[in-house]
Amino acid sequence: MDFQDDSAEFSVENVQMIVKNTIVQTIADHIYNAKQVDGWVNVIVETCLKHLQNLNRPFKYLITCVITQMNGAGMNTATAQYWDQSKDGVASIAYNNGNMHCVVTVFGLCVHIDDPQEEI
């Protein structure tokens, strides 16, 4: 296992690209259907997590996904974090296809892996 590089940073750009592509592939051509929302949410979260893990970055990821029908009602989201701002990060991606809103938030929490050779 490679030990953590001190330059490890959460790449908002990479996360946004992964999430946006996943959302588009999952719901772009669909009309809102309450019976399908659970499945879409699961596909989006699981696919994003798989792609993020494939980046082989020293992060634990937490992903939330909300899909709502566009019916004129407002939707607000907020997050608050207490973490290492130099390593950890968050990316929130909003998407709509004309009949539904999708908001995905990805939190990346850096995992520090110490090099056992340094302890000797």
Side-chain angles (χ1 to χ4, degrees):
M1 170 186 270
D2 292 333
F3 296 103
Q4 180 176 326
D5 181 355
D6 285 337
S7 66
E9 291 182 11
F10 183 79
S11 172
V12 173
E13 295 81 18
N14 287 346
V15 172
Q16 287 176 332
M17 183 182 67
I18 288 168
V19 172
K20 177 84 181 239
N21 290 339
T22 302
I23 293 170
V24 169
Q25 291 172 1
T26 306
I27 66 169
D29 298 327
H30 293 281
I31 295 172
Y32 183 85
N33 181 335
K35 293 179 182 177
Q36 292 184 305
V37 170
D38 285 345
W40 292 332
V41 167
N42 288 335
V43 167
I44 290 169
V45 169
E46 291 171 10
T47 303
C48 288
L49 185 57
K50 184 186 314 180
H51 288 297
L52 290 168
Q53 288 172 324
N54 287 341
L55 295 175
N56 291 321
R57 305 287 293 157
F59 291 95
K60 288 185 178 184
Y61 297 101
L62 293 93
I63 304 172
T64 65
C65 178
V66 177
I67 295 177
T68 61
Q69 184 176 15
M70 291 178 67
N71 60 8
M75 181 173 77
N76 298 302
T77 65
T79 66
Q81 300 79 225
Y82 179 73
W83 60 21
D84 181 350
Q85 293 181 351
S86 67
K87 302 272 187 203
D88 303 330
V90 63
S92 188
I93 298 84
Y95 173 85
N96 79 65
N97 69 358
N99 64 69
M100 62 181 134
H101 293 287
C102 179
V103 178
V104 176
T105 304
V106 178
F107 299 89
L109 306 173
C110 193
V111 178
H112 183 70
I113 303 171
D114 293 324
D115 185 346
Q117 298 299 322
E118 291 178 2
E119 295 178 10
I120 298 176

